[in-house]
Amino acid sequence: MKPIIPVKYLLALGLLLLSASFILKHYFALPDFADGFLKGTGIGIIMLVLIRQWYLKRSES
């Protein structure tokens, strides 16, 4: 079954969210909730990509 969103786009989105939180925190007064939300969402998406990649490689063999 082909995934709805390809893995490479999810990885780019996770990295973008993670780096955006650091950039926004540097230039703007970002509340802790917003900073943590962006970092947590980015890390969560990256973990989802790693799990999906592991599952796809395991199901192929």
Side-chain angles (χ1 to χ4, degrees), residues 25-39:
K25 184 86 169 178
H26 181 75
Y27 289 108
F28 302 107
L30 199 62
D32 288 339
F33 173 76
D35 185 42
F37 181 76
L38 286 173
K39 287 179 183 172

Side-chain angles (χ1 to χ4, degrees), residues 14-26:
L15 291 172
L16 181 70
L17 281 174
L18 195 58
S19 62
S21 70
F22 286 107
I23 293 169
L24 289 174
K25 184 86 169 178
H26 181 75

Side-chain angles (χ1 to χ4, degrees), residues 3-17 41-42 44-50 52:
I4 296 172
I5 301 174
V7 173
K8 61 183 174 182
Y9 295 136
L10 282 176
L11 182 61
L13 178 66
L15 291 172
L16 181 70
L17 281 174
T41 306
I45 290 175
I46 292 171
M47 288 176 60
L48 177 71
V49 166
L50 293 174
R52 184 178 280 179

